[in-house]
Amino acid sequence: MSRKYALVATAGILLSVSVASGAQAAQDHQDGASPRYQPAMVQALAASLGVSEEAAVHRLDRQTAQQDRLAGLTKSGISTDGAFFTAAGKLTVNTPDAAAAKKVEKAGLGARIPARGQAELDAIKAKLDAVAARRTPTGVNAWGVDLATDTVTVEVASGHRAAAEAFLAEAAKYGSAVKVVTAREELAPQAVIYPGSRMTFNGYICSVGYGAHDRNGKQYLVTAGHCVADLPVLSYDNVRFAKATHTRFALGSRSVDMGVAALDAGNSLATSVGTWGNGSPVAVQGSRRAASGAALCKSGQTTGWTCGKVSSYNVSVTYTDQNGGPDTVVTGLGSSTVCTEGGDSGGAYISGNQAQGMTSGGPTGQTCTGGVNSRGSSYFQPLDDALGYYGLTLNTN
């Protein structure tokens, strides 16, 4: 392959096409048009819910339709304060009063007048971020807004509660607005030394994220900030294709896990996400953020194509450096039930045809042994936040 065309495959690494599944047939339009959803995403959703693939397609259709209705309500000026999908798949919207709730329900959505709501929870979470900025909360894996439970959830590593006591004392000041849970593993950003190349830099490896451009048309790779912390030259298949220009990640400092690299002339990134042999590539048509509870899949060089759902947004985590360096607090992440491993960092998350973000990190020692439906958890940098911060526009198919 020439350099120009070698980079077209970087988002998925040599994309392949598989035989159409029953799910594809179920979602085809009657006129024989292409399927609306990638078959592996449908299969993973069906498996996780214990329903047929046809029912999974119906659920994805409902998710899209409900989010469109919510966007219409917001545009018309109806006041809302966050939304999430219930386990049954209904989009439930936080509203400030009964009048707004009635309008939301009239649109066919669920409505709730919460005790707190997203704005208040975001404010509490920001105060906990300030505490973490003064002193890294060793022993606290993550803390973030959980709209479904109307709380800020604090996750403490098992066996590390004593080290986390100072942070937990601050969290306790907010009473029932904060919920503390225990997790088994510590977290780490998922870039590792690896004998081989996908996207390599200074002996390390990550996975390729999304392509975007500035108002002058200059092309960039949007990736996890820790993948480009030292602003390295990036290579694909042992050939340079980009040079990192900006990052918001710094080891040992309060960070945001986003960064960008300028593509070298003659190279380009695909506008479809590769599925590692689990069906055709997924065309990227936008970057509208999916609500909590929405179906989600990711492509990464270590674990390939794995799927789950969005858990929550506005999550902060404490990452443990695997090389003995200082802990790093990262804010502004999304959490998910998608399984990832080291080397998946920077890889692309997508919901339906909407790009969602790039792998940031996950539990140390996690293994994804179940293929597409591997059980696990991970954190991702929301793409819309990165595009907005750097003033970029996503390249779409």
Side-chain angles (χ1 to χ4, degrees):
M1 286 186 179
S2 68
R3 281 181 62 190
K4 180 176 180 180
Y5 293 104
L7 267 297
V8 172
T10 54
I13 315 300
L14 301 180
L15 311 179
S16 61
V17 179
S18 66
V19 177
S21 68
Q24 273 187 291
Q27 59 185 298
D28 282 348
H29 295 294
Q30 291 182 352
D31 60 3
S34 299
R36 296 189 297 283
Y37 309 109
Q38 203 278 336
M41 186 181 295
V42 173
Q43 293 159 7
L45 182 60
S48 65
L49 296 175
V51 299
S52 67
E53 292 182 14
E54 185 176 2
V57 169
H58 178 63
R59 185 173 179 124
L60 288 168
D61 284 342
R62 287 179 58 210
Q63 286 185 359
T64 300
Q66 290 177 89
Q67 292 189 124
D68 286 344
R69 270 179 257 152
L70 176 57
L73 290 172
T74 303
K75 189 175 181 180
S76 68
I78 295 176
S79 181
T80 62
D81 192 20
F84 60 94
F85 283 105
T86 65
K90 186 164 188 175
L91 189 61
T92 299
V93 182
N94 286 336
T95 59
D97 51 46
K102 186 174 181 179
K103 293 176 181 178
V104 168
E105 289 173 341
K106 187 176 180 180
L109 305 176
R112 180 180 75 170
I113 304 175
R116 286 166 285 272
Q118 183 167 348
E120 183 176 338
L121 293 174
D122 282 345
I124 293 171
K125 196 262 181 178
K127 291 176 181 177
L128 293 180
D129 283 345
V131 172
R134 293 193 296 271
R135 181 179 179 182
T136 300
T138 300
V140 180
N141 279 0
W143 57 102
V145 171
D146 184 353
L147 288 179
T149 62
D150 198 31
T151 62
V152 173
T153 300
V154 177
E155 183 182 289
V156 182
S158 178
H160 289 73
R161 194 176 181 95
E165 283 303 327
F167 187 86
L168 295 179
E170 290 293 326
K173 294 178 181 179
Y174 301 101
S176 61
V178 175
K179 178 177 67 176
V180 178
V181 299
T182 301
R184 288 177 296 176
E185 304 97 344
E186 294 179 331
L187 304 177
Q190 290 180 322
V192 299
I193 297 175
Y194 193 84
S197 64
R198 288 298 184 268
M199 183 176 86
T200 54
F201 52 98
N202 300 335
Y204 290 84
I205 186 168
C206 275
S207 300
V208 173
Y210 287 103
H213 60 276
D214 65 17
R215 61 184 180 180
N216 297 315
K218 185 171 178 57
Q219 294 292 318
Y220 290 89
L221 165 70
V222 186
T223 186
H226 74 269
C227 287
V228 292
D230 298 323
L231 303 185
V233 167
L234 304 176
S235 296
Y236 170 72
D237 199 18
N238 296 318
V239 177
R240 168 179 166 151
F241 75 96
K243 171 69 169 67
T245 58
H246 297 86
T247 183
R248 298 181 68 189
F249 183 92
L251 190 67
S253 301
R254 180 177 173 183
S255 298
V256 179
D257 203 9
M258 62 174 70
V260 294
L263 293 188
D264 295 341
N267 293 315
S268 62
L269 298 175
T271 53
S272 296
V273 177
T275 62
W276 295 84
N278 288 286
S280 301
V282 181
V284 176
Q285 297 181 6
S287 56
R288 184 177 66 184
R289 183 176 293 201
S292 297
L296 185 71
C297 293
K298 82 108 219 357
S299 183
Q301 72 88 34
T302 305
T303 59
W305 185 247
T306 54
C307 299
K309 66 179 182 179
V310 178
S311 296
S312 60
Y313 292 102
N314 193 9
V315 178
S316 294
V317 305
T318 304
Y319 281 147
T320 301
D321 182 59
Q322 299 301 286
N323 296 315
D327 290 349
T328 304
V329 172
V330 176
T331 62
L333 298 177
S335 61
S336 79
T337 63
V338 176
C339 194
T340 61
E341 294 180 21
D344 282 330
S345 283
Y349 285 69
I350 191 164
S351 180
N353 55 26
Q354 298 294 306
Q356 297 300 311
M358 296 75 62
T359 301
S360 174
T364 57
Q366 177 168 266
T367 56
C368 307
T369 56
V372 171
N373 300 317
S374 296
R375 295 185 179 276
S377 63
S378 59
Y379 297 90
F380 62 95
Q381 167 59 53
L383 178 62
D384 56 354
D385 285 347
L387 294 173
Y389 182 83
Y390 290 115
L392 300 175
T393 300
L394 178 67
N395 296 335
T396 57
N397 189 304

